[in-house]
Amino acid sequence: MTIPPSGPSRTESLIESKFRSNTLISMDQISTALDLGLASNLIDCMYAVKTFVEGLKLMLAVDTGSPIIWYYQEGVIEVVIPKRGDFKNIKFTDNPWENNPLIGYRKKLPCIFNSPQDSEDVAYIEYADGSLVGIARYPLDDEHSVHARIPSWDWKRSKRDADIQVVLPRVVAVAANLRMTQHPFDGILGFGVPGYTEPFDQRSPTTLYEALRAGGHIDKPMQLTIRLLHPGFLAVCPNNVQSYAFYGNHWPCAYSKVGVDPSSGRHRGVPRFTPPLYVIPTEITPVNPSYGLWASRLISMTLLVPKVPRSTMQTPVPWRDNLDDFTPYKVEMPTETQTSATTGSVSALGIAVVLDTGSSHSSFPRQVYEAIGTHWLGIPPPQSEEEAYSLYCPKALDLDDRDIIFTFQGDDGNPVDFRCGASRFLRSPFRFPKEGVDAFDVPIHTTEQFSTSDISCCLGQNFFWTAFVRLDCEYRGPRPVPGDSRVQIRLAPQRVKNEKGNVINEFGLGFHSEPRDVEAFRAGRSIFAYNDE
């Protein structure tokens, strides 16, 4: 975005002049059904950004758990690994994935070199679900860079009709295992912490934020808000209600009364963000800690069940602020032992969780998983540790009338409560595949099913269905480090209270038109400004 050299004129975009970072990228949802041998078929849902590269339309998965942008390359081959994490014994097969129908229809960049060994770097990434990919990075120069076009929201026309021209690094997948090829995307669009380029060094940027900033499209520091819509209702969403990634310091969407433009100031229909959450540093070396993941500490989760429920499921959900109107069912997180190269082993409050759009499920320790089933969903507890135990949500359970309070460790050390509706977190749009059970799948797993070598618990897409997740990052130098940067997570519910005292869910929070009051915008009094600005 070009920043005007002087004050705004009457004809230019008012949002653009007041809030210079105003880049909104809409997302699409892609999915496929996979039989992974678990209790049920896993519906592999991802949110993707259409990215036009070298004549191809790539669907790149939005992944806050990854700092890397990568795309498949022609000639990608099969790679196998004896066991999780055993990168020393990785083996290639003679089987080109081009012959595999799972990856045969993936869009792939042309191969500009003969083999991975011709590239600047080759590294392997193993994801939480066992997906493995070998990626090669080429120099960020005119010969190797990827010139991409990303559709974005046109504020003047109120539709996805604008384009962002951006130069991306050429990081290509030259090898992948079977699990990786089962995913329905053409690559990854990393929304991880800026400056963190693992498994590569700091020689060139690898996140979308860094590429957008280098192209002059957004400002520094980073203020990114991500919103994911529940996939069960996408077909009924109006055009101005979409999943998005928004770079800016104000609300791009709001609720207004019928016939009332929210720009008039007569009705403030935006949620409020929590105070900042504590973000856990990732130690790269014992003497050089850095931030690598959007991870915080979760202390507890509390289901709120109204003492006086609504009369029927067709009745509007009333907005209840008073906790005395609810019966709480609290699930405490276990205490972790946190090992640090500088401080040794210490007890840490709650559990570390990564906020990960790349995970279709949230994952918790088994004791938390079982507590959700028995205390929240009314599923009888397992009779032994060996007994298979699956979560499901009975169709008759009115979760829309219930709330959840997630309690995190705040940036100042004090607890921060985030309250939202329970249905999006606990109820998948997919039916529970068990004969005789009229229920929906619950998008929650145990860490025994999927785990990583670092932080094994995550808040996945079902958590994002409940929240606007704001990721702020301000730093100097090549990457943010503790004590010399600001890395924060804030949360706001995807709902507001309407003029009748009822809940307006995410489908009533659409993109608004440009505000009309120029002077109010100049003075920073916009009703759309984030509440902490």
Side-chain angles (χ1 to χ4, degrees), residues 48 50 145 152 218 293 499-500:
K50 292 179 183 177
S145 297
S152 65
I218 58 177
L293 297 170
E499 64 280 2
K500 296 182 179 179

Side-chain angles (χ1 to χ4, degrees), residues 335-347:
T335 299
E336 287 184 334
T337 300
Q338 193 173 27
T339 303
S340 168
T342 55
T343 61
S345 296
V346 296
S347 294

Side-chain angles (χ1 to χ4, degrees), residues 44-332:
D44 191 19
C45 294
M46 297 296 290
Y47 290 79
V49 172
K50 292 179 183 177
T51 307
F52 295 89
V53 174
E54 300 178 3
L56 301 172
K57 182 180 76 172
L58 306 181
M59 299 301 290
L60 301 182
V62 174
D63 191 357
T64 57
S66 172
I68 300 295
I69 300 173
W70 63 260
Y71 341 85
Y72 280 111
Q73 177 179 273
E74 290 180 354
V76 58
I77 59 176
E78 182 182 11
V79 62
V80 294
I81 185 171
K83 61 181 180 179
R84 297 289 300 270
D86 188 6
F87 298 117
K88 294 182 179 180
N89 294 304
I90 286 178
K91 296 181 180 179
F92 296 98
T93 72
D94 296 329
N95 177 31
W97 277 129
E98 303 297 331
N99 299 331
N100 186 316
L102 288 170
I103 198 172
Y105 61 88
R106 301 281 181 257
K107 302 295 193 305
K108 295 175 283 291
L109 296 188
C111 181
I112 61 175
F113 293 97
N114 293 328
S115 69
Q117 286 71 28
D118 295 326
S119 67
E120 181 180 332
D121 289 303
V122 178
Y124 294 92
I125 299 176
E126 189 173 32
Y127 293 91
D129 64 349
S131 299
L132 177 68
V133 63
I135 54 177
R137 184 183 69 170
Y138 298 98
L140 192 64
D141 54 29
D142 292 339
E143 180 184 0
H144 303 89
S145 297
V146 173
H147 293 267
R149 178 171 58 87
I150 300 176
S152 65
W153 188 256
D154 188 325
W155 295 99
K156 295 181 180 180
R157 299 181 180 180
S158 294
K159 61 181 180 178
R160 184 166 42 174
D161 199 32
D163 282 337
I164 299 172
Q165 305 288 339
V166 63
V167 178
L168 301 176
R170 184 177 291 271
V171 182
V172 294
V174 296
N177 69 351
L178 176 62
R179 178 67 186 98
M180 177 58 76
T181 66
Q182 293 171 328
H183 289 297
F185 50 75
D186 303 316
I188 292 287
L189 201 58
F191 283 83
V193 177
Y196 183 72
T197 59
E198 292 293 317
F200 300 123
D201 56 28
Q202 302 293 321
R203 280 174 284 179
S204 65
T206 56
T207 65
L208 178 62
Y209 162 72
E210 292 162 302
L212 290 172
R213 186 163 61 86
H217 299 288
I218 58 177
D219 294 336
K220 188 178 181 181
M222 185 185 89
Q223 291 180 307
L224 168 65
T225 302
I226 292 180
R227 175 206 207 177
L228 302 185
L229 294 175
H230 191 279
F233 305 95
L234 292 178
V236 298
C237 283
N239 180 60
N240 69 332
V241 178
Q242 298 185 11
S243 301
Y244 65 74
F246 176 69
Y247 291 93
N249 64 350
H250 66 291
W251 285 101
C253 56
Y255 164 74
S256 65
K257 299 179 184 178
V258 177
V260 177
D261 189 333
S263 310
S264 67
R266 283 192 278 171
H267 183 74
R268 180 187 175 93
V270 295
R272 292 188 66 84
F273 280 107
T274 64
L277 310 186
Y278 170 68
V279 178
I280 302 171
T282 301
E283 292 192 350
I284 307 303
T285 66
V287 295
N288 189 24
S290 177
Y291 292 101
L293 297 170
W294 297 110
S296 188
R297 302 207 70 84
L298 179 64
I299 300 172
S300 65
M301 300 184 296
T302 304
L303 181 70
L304 301 178
V305 179
K307 295 177 181 178
V308 181
R310 59 179 177 164
S311 56
T312 68
M313 289 190 182
Q314 285 70 43
T315 305
V317 178
W319 186 279
R320 300 182 176 99
D321 290 315
N322 192 346
L323 291 179
D324 292 336
D325 294 337
F326 295 88
T327 300
Y329 295 87
K330 191 173 186 177
V331 176
E332 297 275 3

Side-chain angles (χ1 to χ4, degrees), residues 128 280-282 293 295-296 336 351-354 363 447 451-458:
I280 302 171
T282 301
L293 297 170
S296 188
E336 287 184 334
I351 60 173
V353 290
V354 179
S363 58
T447 52
S451 64
T452 63
S453 57
D454 298 317
I455 300 177
S456 59
C457 299
C458 81

